[in-house]
Amino acid sequence: LPSALGNTKGRRIMITGQDIADLRNLRKIKTHQAAEAAGVSRMTYENWEKNVGEPNVTQFLKLCMLFLIDISDLMEEMKRRK
């Protein structure tokens, strides 16, 4: 895993660009729609999917809402992957 996502009270959320792309594709959401929901440019969003940069916690939470993913469920899944 190339990097971690955000930092809140010392806890880091690990997610890959492929995870983000898979969630977007699962929901049939276009990159520009995901970028708009996260409040970033399409290029920035596409870079996240390529593991170039990453969303901050606020942007990540917006993506979770867009993808209809509960943050605690996602964190549990990331723990299982370790």
Coordinates of all heavy atoms in Angstrom, one line a residue:
L1 N 0.9 -1.2 0.0 CA 0.0 0.0 0.0 C 0.9 1.2 0.0 O 1.7 1.4 0.9 CB -0.9 0.0 1.2 CG -2.0 0.9 1.3 CD1 -3.0 0.7 0.2 CD2 -2.7 0.8 2.7
P2 N 0.8 2.1 -1.0 CA 1.7 3.2 -1.1 C 1.5 4.3 -0.1 O 2.5 5.0 0.2 CB 1.4 3.7 -2.6 CG 0.0 3.3 -2.8 CD -0.2 2.0 -2.1
S3 N 0.3 4.5 0.4 CA 0.2 5.6 1.3 C -1.1 5.4 2.2 O -1.9 4.5 2.0 CB 0.0 6.9 0.5 OG -1.1 6.8 -0.3
A4 N -1.3 6.3 3.1 CA -2.4 6.2 4.0 C -3.3 7.4 3.7 O -2.9 8.4 3.1 CB -2.0 6.3 5.5
L5 N -4.6 7.2 4.1 CA -5.6 8.2 3.9 C -5.9 9.0 5.1 O -6.3 8.4 6.1 CB -6.8 7.6 3.4 CG -8.1 8.5 3.2 CD1 -7.9 9.4 2.0 CD2 -9.3 7.7 3.1
G6 N -5.6 10.3 5.1 CA -5.9 11.2 6.2 C -5.4 10.8 7.5 O -4.7 9.8 7.7
N7 N -5.6 11.6 8.5 CA -5.2 11.3 9.9 C -6.2 12.0 10.8 O -6.3 13.2 10.8 CB -3.8 11.9 10.1 CG -3.2 11.4 11.4 OD1 -3.9 10.9 12.3 ND2 -1.9 11.6 11.6
T8 N -6.8 11.2 11.6 CA -7.8 11.8 12.6 C -7.5 11.2 13.9 O -7.6 10.0 14.1 CB -9.2 11.6 12.1 OG1 -10.1 12.1 13.1 CG2 -9.6 10.1 11.8
K9 N -7.1 12.0 14.9 CA -6.8 11.6 16.2 C -5.8 10.4 16.2 O -6.0 9.5 17.0 CB -8.0 11.3 17.0 CG -8.9 12.5 17.2 CD -10.1 12.1 18.0 CE -11.0 13.4 18.2 NZ -12.1 13.2 19.0
G10 N -4.8 10.5 15.4 CA -3.8 9.5 15.3 C -4.1 8.2 14.6 O -3.3 7.3 14.5
R11 N -5.4 8.1 14.2 CA -5.8 6.8 13.5 C -5.7 7.1 12.0 O -6.3 8.1 11.5 CB -7.2 6.4 13.9 CG -7.6 5.1 13.4 CD -8.8 4.6 14.1 NE -9.9 5.5 14.1 CZ -11.1 5.2 14.6 NH1 -11.3 4.0 15.0 NH2 -12.0 6.1 14.6
R12 N -5.1 6.2 11.2 CA -5.0 6.4 9.8 C -5.9 5.3 9.1 O -6.0 4.2 9.5 CB -3.6 6.2 9.3 CG -2.7 7.3 9.9 CD -1.3 7.2 9.5 NE -1.1 7.6 8.1 CZ -1.0 8.9 7.7 NH1 -1.1 9.9 8.5 NH2 -0.8 9.1 6.4
I13 N -6.5 5.7 8.0 CA -7.4 4.9 7.3 C -6.7 4.5 6.0 O -6.2 5.3 5.2 CB -8.7 5.6 6.9 CG1 -9.4 6.1 8.1 CG2 -9.6 4.7 6.1 CD1 -10.5 7.2 7.9
M14 N -6.5 3.2 5.8 CA -5.7 2.7 4.6 C -6.7 2.3 3.5 O -7.6 1.6 3.7 CB -4.9 1.5 5.0 CG -4.0 1.8 6.2 SD -2.8 3.0 5.9 CE -1.5 2.0 5.3
I15 N -6.4 2.9 2.3 CA -7.3 2.5 1.2 C -6.4 2.8 -0.1 O -5.6 3.7 -0.1 CB -8.6 3.3 1.1 CG1 -9.5 2.8 0.0 CG2 -8.3 4.8 1.0 CD1 -10.9 3.3 0.1
T16 N -6.6 1.9 -1.1 CA -5.8 2.1 -2.3 C -6.6 2.8 -3.4 O -7.8 2.9 -3.3 CB -5.3 0.7 -2.9 OG1 -6.5 0.0 -3.3 CG2 -4.6 -0.1 -1.8
G17 N -5.9 3.3 -4.4 CA -6.6 3.9 -5.5 C -7.5 2.9 -6.2 O -8.6 3.2 -6.7
Q18 N -7.1 1.6 -6.2 CA -7.9 0.6 -6.8 C -9.2 0.4 -6.0 O -10.3 0.2 -6.6 CB -7.2 -0.8 -6.9 CG -7.9 -1.8 -7.7 CD -8.2 -1.4 -9.1 OE1 -7.3 -1.1 -9.8 NE2 -9.5 -1.5 -9.5
D19 N -9.1 0.5 -4.7 CA -10.3 0.4 -3.9 C -11.3 1.5 -4.3 O -12.5 1.3 -4.4 CB -10.0 0.6 -2.4 CG -9.2 -0.6 -1.8 OD1 -9.3 -1.7 -2.3 OD2 -8.4 -0.3 -0.9
I20 N -10.8 2.7 -4.4 CA -11.6 3.9 -4.8 C -12.3 3.7 -6.1 O -13.5 3.9 -6.3 CB -10.8 5.2 -4.7 CG1 -10.4 5.5 -3.3 CG2 -11.6 6.4 -5.3 CD1 -9.4 6.6 -3.2
A21 N -11.5 3.2 -7.1 CA -12.0 2.9 -8.4 C -13.1 1.8 -8.4 O -14.1 1.9 -9.1 CB -10.9 2.5 -9.4
D22 N -12.8 0.8 -7.7 CA -13.8 -0.3 -7.6 C -15.1 0.1 -7.0 O -16.2 -0.2 -7.5 CB -13.2 -1.5 -6.7 CG -12.1 -2.2 -7.4 OD1 -11.9 -2.0 -8.6 OD2 -11.4 -3.0 -6.7
L23 N -15.0 1.0 -5.9 CA -16.3 1.5 -5.3 C -17.0 2.4 -6.3 O -18.3 2.3 -6.4 CB -16.0 2.2 -4.1 CG -15.5 1.4 -2.9 CD1 -14.9 2.3 -1.8 CD2 -16.6 0.6 -2.3
R24 N -16.3 3.2 -7.0 CA -17.0 4.1 -8.0 C -17.6 3.3 -9.1 O -18.8 3.5 -9.5 CB -15.9 5.0 -8.6 CG -16.5 6.0 -9.6 CD -15.5 6.9 -10.2 NE -14.4 6.3 -10.8 CZ -14.5 5.7 -12.1 NH1 -15.6 5.7 -12.7 NH2 -13.4 5.1 -12.6
N25 N -16.9 2.3 -9.6 CA -17.4 1.4 -10.7 C -18.6 0.6 -10.2 O -19.6 0.4 -11.0 CB -16.3 0.6 -11.3 CG -15.3 1.4 -12.1 OD1 -15.7 2.3 -12.8 ND2 -14.1 1.0 -12.0
L26 N -18.5 0.1 -9.0 CA -19.7 -0.7 -8.5 C -21.0 0.1 -8.5 O -22.0 -0.4 -8.8 CB -19.3 -1.1 -7.0 CG -20.4 -1.9 -6.3 CD1 -20.5 -3.3 -6.9 CD2 -20.0 -2.0 -4.8
R27 N -20.8 1.4 -8.2 CA -22.0 2.3 -8.1 C -22.3 2.9 -9.4 O -23.2 3.8 -9.5 CB -21.8 3.4 -7.0 CG -21.7 2.8 -5.7 CD -23.0 2.3 -5.2 NE -22.8 1.8 -3.8 CZ -23.6 0.9 -3.2 NH1 -24.6 0.4 -3.9 NH2 -23.3 0.5 -2.0
K28 N -21.5 2.6 -10.5 CA -21.7 3.2 -11.8 C -21.7 4.7 -11.8 O -22.5 5.4 -12.4 CB -23.0 2.6 -12.5 CG -23.0 1.1 -12.6 CD -24.2 0.6 -13.3 CE -24.4 -0.9 -13.4 NZ -23.3 -1.7 -13.4
I29 N -20.7 5.2 -11.1 CA -20.5 6.7 -11.0 C -19.3 7.1 -11.9 O -18.3 6.4 -11.9 CB -20.2 7.1 -9.5 CG1 -21.5 6.7 -8.7 CG2 -19.9 8.6 -9.4 CD1 -21.2 6.8 -7.2
K30 N -19.5 8.1 -12.6 CA -18.4 8.6 -13.5 C -17.4 9.4 -12.7 O -17.7 9.9 -11.6 CB -19.0 9.5 -14.6 CG -20.0 8.8 -15.5 CD -20.4 9.6 -16.7 CE -21.4 8.9 -17.6 NZ -21.0 7.6 -18.1
T31 N -16.2 9.5 -13.2 CA -15.1 10.1 -12.4 C -15.4 11.6 -12.2 O -15.2 12.1 -11.1 CB -13.7 10.0 -13.2 OG1 -13.9 10.6 -14.5 CG2 -13.2 8.6 -13.2
H32 N -16.0 12.3 -13.1 CA -16.3 13.7 -12.9 C -17.4 13.9 -11.8 O -17.4 14.8 -11.0 CB -16.7 14.4 -14.2 CG -18.1 14.1 -14.7 ND1 -18.4 13.0 -15.5 CD2 -19.3 14.7 -14.5 CE1 -19.6 13.0 -15.8 NE2 -20.2 14.0 -15.2
Q33 N -18.3 12.9 -11.7 CA -19.3 13.0 -10.6 C -18.7 12.7 -9.2 O -19.0 13.4 -8.3 CB -20.4 11.9 -10.9 CG -21.2 12.2 -12.1 CD -22.1 11.0 -12.5 OE1 -21.7 9.9 -12.5 NE2 -23.4 11.3 -12.8
A34 N -17.8 11.8 -9.2 CA -17.1 11.5 -7.9 C -16.2 12.7 -7.5 O -16.2 13.1 -6.3 CB -16.2 10.3 -8.0
A35 N -15.6 13.3 -8.5 CA -14.7 14.5 -8.2 C -15.6 15.6 -7.7 O -15.2 16.3 -6.7 CB -14.0 14.9 -9.5
E36 N -16.7 15.9 -8.3 CA -17.6 16.9 -7.9 C -18.1 16.7 -6.5 O -18.1 17.6 -5.6 CB -18.8 17.0 -8.8 CG -19.7 18.2 -8.5 CD -20.8 18.4 -9.6 OE1 -20.5 18.2 -10.7 OE2 -21.9 18.6 -9.1
A37 N -18.5 15.5 -6.2 CA -19.0 15.1 -4.8 C -17.9 15.3 -3.8 O -18.2 15.7 -2.6 CB -19.5 13.7 -4.8
A38 N -16.6 15.0 -4.1 CA -15.5 15.2 -3.2 C -15.0 16.6 -3.1 O -14.2 17.0 -2.2 CB -14.4 14.3 -3.6
G39 N -15.4 17.5 -4.1 CA -15.0 18.9 -4.1 C -13.6 19.1 -4.6 O -12.9 20.0 -4.2
V40 N -13.2 18.2 -5.6 CA -11.9 18.3 -6.2 C -12.1 18.3 -7.8 O -13.1 18.0 -8.3 CB -11.0 17.2 -5.8 CG1 -10.7 17.3 -4.3 CG2 -11.5 15.8 -6.2
S41 N -11.0 18.6 -8.5 CA -11.0 18.5 -9.9 C -11.0 17.1 -10.4 O -10.7 16.2 -9.6 CB -9.8 19.2 -10.5 OG -8.6 18.4 -10.2
R42 N -11.5 16.8 -11.6 CA -11.5 15.5 -12.1 C -10.1 14.9 -12.1 O -9.8 13.7 -11.8 CB -12.1 15.5 -13.5 CG -12.4 14.0 -14.0 CD -12.8 14.0 -15.4 NE -11.7 14.0 -16.3 CZ -11.5 14.8 -17.3 NH1 -12.5 15.6 -17.7 NH2 -10.4 14.8 -18.0
M43 N -9.1 15.7 -12.5 CA -7.7 15.3 -12.5 C -7.2 14.8 -11.2 O -6.6 13.8 -11.0 CB -6.8 16.4 -13.1 CG -5.3 16.0 -13.1 SD -4.3 17.3 -13.7 CE -4.4 17.0 -15.5
T44 N -7.5 15.6 -10.1 CA -7.2 15.2 -8.8 C -7.8 13.9 -8.4 O -7.1 13.0 -7.9 CB -7.6 16.3 -7.8 OG1 -6.8 17.5 -8.0 CG2 -7.3 15.8 -6.3
Y45 N -9.1 13.7 -8.7 CA -9.7 12.5 -8.4 C -9.1 11.3 -9.1 O -8.9 10.2 -8.6 CB -11.2 12.6 -8.7 CG -11.9 11.3 -8.4 CD1 -12.4 11.0 -7.1 CD2 -12.0 10.3 -9.4 CE1 -12.9 9.8 -6.8 CE2 -12.6 9.0 -9.1 CZ -13.0 8.8 -7.8 OH -13.6 7.6 -7.5
E46 N -8.9 11.5 -10.4 CA -8.2 10.4 -11.2 C -6.9 10.0 -10.7 O -6.5 8.9 -10.7 CB -8.2 10.8 -12.7 CG -9.5 10.8 -13.3 CD -9.5 11.4 -14.7 OE1 -8.5 12.0 -15.2 OE2 -10.6 11.3 -15.4
N47 N -6.1 11.0 -10.2 CA -4.8 10.7 -9.5 C -5.0 9.9 -8.3 O -4.2 9.0 -8.1 CB -4.1 12.0 -9.2 CG -3.5 12.7 -10.4 OD1 -3.2 12.0 -11.4 ND2 -3.2 13.9 -10.3
W48 N -6.0 10.1 -7.5 CA -6.3 9.2 -6.4 C -6.4 7.8 -6.8 O -5.9 6.9 -6.2 CB -7.5 9.6 -5.6 CG -7.5 11.0 -5.0 CD1 -6.4 11.7 -4.7 CD2 -8.6 11.7 -4.5 NE1 -6.8 12.9 -4.1 CE2 -8.1 12.9 -3.9 CE3 -10.0 11.5 -4.5 CZ2 -9.0 13.9 -3.4 CZ3 -10.8 12.4 -3.9 CH2 -10.3 13.6 -3.4
E49 N -7.2 7.6 -7.9 CA -7.4 6.2 -8.4 C -6.1 5.6 -8.9 O -5.9 4.4 -9.0 CB -8.4 6.2 -9.5 CG -9.8 6.4 -8.9 CD -10.9 6.1 -9.9 OE1 -10.7 5.7 -11.0 OE2 -12.1 6.2 -9.5
K50 N -5.1 6.4 -9.3 CA -3.8 6.0 -9.7 C -2.8 5.9 -8.6 O -1.6 5.7 -8.8 CB -3.3 6.9 -10.8 CG -4.1 6.9 -12.1 CD -3.6 8.0 -13.0 CE -4.6 8.2 -14.2 NZ -4.2 9.3 -15.0
N51 N -3.2 6.1 -7.4 CA -2.3 6.2 -6.2 C -1.3 7.3 -6.3 O -0.2 7.2 -5.7 CB -1.6 4.8 -6.0 CG -2.5 3.7 -5.5 OD1 -3.4 4.0 -4.6 ND2 -2.4 2.6 -6.1
V52 N -1.7 8.4 -6.9 CA -0.9 9.6 -6.9 C -1.7 10.6 -6.0 O -2.7 11.2 -6.5 CB -0.8 10.2 -8.3 CG1 0.0 11.5 -8.3 CG2 -0.1 9.1 -9.2
G53 N -1.3 10.8 -4.8 CA -2.0 11.6 -3.9 C -3.2 10.8 -3.3 O -3.4 9.6 -3.6
E54 N -3.9 11.4 -2.4 CA -5.0 10.8 -1.7 C -6.0 11.8 -1.1 O -5.6 12.9 -0.9 CB -4.5 9.9 -0.6 CG -3.8 10.6 0.5 CD -2.5 10.0 0.9 OE1 -2.1 9.0 0.3 OE2 -1.9 10.5 1.9
P55 N -7.2 11.4 -1.0 CA -8.2 12.3 -0.4 C -7.9 12.5 1.1 O -7.3 11.6 1.8 CB -9.5 11.6 -0.6 CG -9.2 10.2 -0.7 CD -7.8 10.1 -1.3
N56 N -8.2 13.7 1.6 CA -8.1 13.9 3.0 C -9.3 13.3 3.7 O -10.2 12.8 3.0 CB -7.9 15.4 3.4 CG -9.1 16.3 3.0 OD1 -10.3 15.9 3.0 ND2 -8.9 17.5 2.5
V57 N -9.4 13.4 5.0 CA -10.5 12.7 5.7 C -11.8 13.3 5.3 O -12.8 12.5 5.0 CB -10.3 12.8 7.2 CG1 -11.5 12.3 8.0 CG2 -9.1 12.1 7.7
T58 N -12.0 14.6 5.1 CA -13.2 15.2 4.7 C -13.7 14.7 3.4 O -14.8 14.3 3.1 CB -13.1 16.7 4.8 OG1 -12.8 17.1 6.1 CG2 -14.5 17.4 4.4
Q59 N -12.7 14.7 2.4 CA -13.0 14.3 1.1 C -13.4 12.8 1.1 O -14.3 12.3 0.4 CB -11.8 14.5 0.1 CG -11.5 16.0 -0.1 CD -10.1 16.2 -0.5 OE1 -9.2 15.4 -0.3 NE2 -9.9 17.4 -1.2
F60 N -12.7 12.0 1.9 CA -12.9 10.6 2.0 C -14.3 10.3 2.5 O -15.1 9.5 2.0 CB -11.9 9.9 2.9 CG -12.1 8.5 3.1 CD1 -11.9 7.6 2.1 CD2 -12.5 8.0 4.3 CE1 -12.1 6.2 2.2 CE2 -12.7 6.6 4.5 CZ -12.5 5.7 3.5
L61 N -14.8 11.1 3.5 CA -16.1 10.9 4.1 C -17.2 11.3 3.0 O -18.2 10.6 2.9 CB -16.3 11.8 5.3 CG -15.5 11.3 6.5 CD1 -15.6 12.3 7.7 CD2 -15.8 9.9 7.0
K62 N -16.9 12.3 2.2 CA -17.8 12.6 1.1 C -17.9 11.5 0.1 O -19.0 11.2 -0.4 CB -17.4 13.9 0.4 CG -17.6 15.1 1.3 CD -17.0 16.4 0.5 CE -17.2 17.6 1.4 NZ -16.7 18.8 0.7
L63 N -16.8 10.8 -0.2 CA -16.8 9.7 -1.1 C -17.6 8.5 -0.5 O -18.3 7.8 -1.2 CB -15.4 9.3 -1.5 CG -14.6 10.2 -2.3 CD1 -13.2 9.7 -2.5 CD2 -15.3 10.4 -3.7
C64 N -17.4 8.3 0.8 CA -18.2 7.2 1.5 C -19.7 7.5 1.3 O -20.4 6.5 1.1 CB -17.8 7.1 2.9 SG -16.2 6.3 3.2
M65 N -20.1 8.7 1.5 CA -21.5 9.0 1.4 C -22.0 8.8 -0.1 O -23.0 8.2 -0.3 CB -21.8 10.4 1.8 CG -21.7 10.6 3.3 SD -22.2 12.2 4.0 CE -21.3 13.4 3.0
L66 N -21.1 9.2 -1.0 CA -21.5 9.0 -2.4 C -21.6 7.6 -2.8 O -22.5 7.1 -3.5 CB -20.4 9.7 -3.3 CG -20.6 9.5 -4.8 CD1 -21.8 10.3 -5.3 CD2 -19.4 10.0 -5.6
F67 N -20.6 6.8 -2.3 CA -20.6 5.3 -2.6 C -21.5 4.5 -1.7 O -21.6 3.3 -1.9 CB -19.2 4.8 -2.5 CG -18.2 5.5 -3.4 CD1 -16.9 5.6 -3.0 CD2 -18.5 5.9 -4.7 CE1 -15.9 6.2 -3.9 CE2 -17.6 6.5 -5.5 CZ -16.3 6.7 -5.1
L68 N -22.2 5.2 -0.8 CA -23.1 4.5 0.1 C -22.4 3.5 0.9 O -22.9 2.3 1.1 CB -24.3 3.8 -0.6 CG -25.1 4.8 -1.5 CD1 -26.1 4.0 -2.3 CD2 -25.8 5.9 -0.7
I69 N -21.2 3.9 1.4 CA -20.4 3.0 2.3 C -20.3 3.6 3.7 O -20.1 4.7 3.9 CB -18.9 2.9 1.7 CG1 -18.9 2.4 0.3 CG2 -18.0 2.1 2.6 CD1 -19.3 1.0 0.1
D70 N -20.6 2.7 4.7 CA -20.5 3.1 6.1 C -19.0 3.2 6.4 O -18.3 2.2 6.2 CB -21.2 2.2 7.0 CG -21.2 2.6 8.4 OD1 -20.2 2.2 9.1 OD2 -22.1 3.3 8.8
I71 N -18.5 4.2 7.0 CA -17.1 4.4 7.3 C -16.6 3.3 8.2 O -15.5 2.8 8.0 CB -16.8 5.8 7.8 CG1 -15.3 6.0 8.0 CG2 -17.5 6.1 9.1 CD1 -14.5 6.1 6.8
S72 N -17.4 2.9 9.2 CA -16.9 1.9 10.1 C -16.8 0.5 9.4 O -15.9 -0.3 9.7 CB -17.8 1.8 11.3 OG -19.1 1.5 10.9
D73 N -17.7 0.2 8.5 CA -17.6 -1.0 7.7 C -16.3 -1.0 6.8 O -15.6 -2.0 6.7 CB -18.8 -1.2 6.8 CG -20.1 -1.5 7.5 OD1 -20.0 -1.9 8.7 OD2 -21.1 -1.3 6.9
L74 N -16.0 0.1 6.2 CA -14.8 0.2 5.4 C -13.6 0.1 6.2 O -12.6 -0.6 5.8 CB -14.8 1.6 4.7 CG -13.7 1.8 3.7 CD1 -13.7 0.7 2.6 CD2 -13.8 3.1 3.0
M75 N -13.5 0.7 7.4 CA -12.4 0.6 8.3 C -12.2 -0.9 8.7 O -11.1 -1.4 8.8 CB -12.5 1.5 9.5 CG -12.4 3.0 9.1 SD -12.6 4.1 10.5 CE -11.2 3.7 11.5
E76 N -13.3 -1.6 9.0 CA -13.2 -3.0 9.4 C -12.6 -3.8 8.2 O -11.8 -4.7 8.4 CB -14.5 -3.6 9.8 CG -14.9 -3.1 11.2 CD -13.9 -3.6 12.2 OE1 -13.5 -4.7 12.3 OE2 -13.6 -2.7 13.1
E77 N -13.0 -3.5 7.0 CA -12.5 -4.3 5.8 C -11.0 -4.0 5.7 O -10.2 -4.9 5.4 CB -13.3 -3.8 4.6 CG -12.8 -4.4 3.3 CD -12.9 -5.9 3.2 OE1 -13.7 -6.5 3.9 OE2 -12.0 -6.5 2.5
M78 N -10.6 -2.8 5.9 CA -9.2 -2.4 5.7 C -8.4 -3.2 6.8 O -7.3 -3.6 6.5 CB -8.9 -0.9 5.9 CG -9.6 -0.1 4.8 SD -9.0 -0.5 3.1 CE -10.5 -1.1 2.4
K79 N -8.9 -3.3 8.0 CA -8.2 -4.1 9.1 C -8.0 -5.5 8.7 O -7.0 -6.1 8.9 CB -9.0 -4.0 10.4 CG -8.8 -2.6 11.1 CD -9.6 -2.7 12.4 CE -9.8 -1.4 13.0 NZ -10.6 -1.4 14.2
R80 N -9.1 -6.1 8.1 CA -9.0 -7.5 7.7 C -7.9 -7.8 6.6 O -7.4 -8.8 6.6 CB -10.3 -8.0 7.2 CG -11.3 -8.3 8.3 CD -12.5 -9.1 7.7 NE -13.4 -8.2 6.9 CZ -14.4 -7.5 7.5 NH1 -14.6 -7.6 8.8 NH2 -15.2 -6.8 6.8
R81 N -7.6 -6.8 5.8 CA -6.6 -6.9 4.8 C -5.2 -6.9 5.3 O -4.3 -7.4 4.6 CB -6.8 -5.8 3.8 CG -8.0 -5.9 2.9 CD -8.0 -4.8 1.9 NE -9.2 -4.7 1.2 CZ -9.4 -3.9 0.2 NH1 -8.5 -3.1 -0.2 NH2 -10.6 -3.9 -0.5
K82 N -5.0 -6.4 6.5 CA -3.6 -6.3 7.0 C -3.0 -7.7 7.2 O -3.6 -8.6 7.6 CB -3.6 -5.5 8.2 CG -3.8 -4.1 8.0 CD -3.7 -3.3 9.3 CE -3.9 -1.8 9.0 NZ -3.8 -1.0 10.2

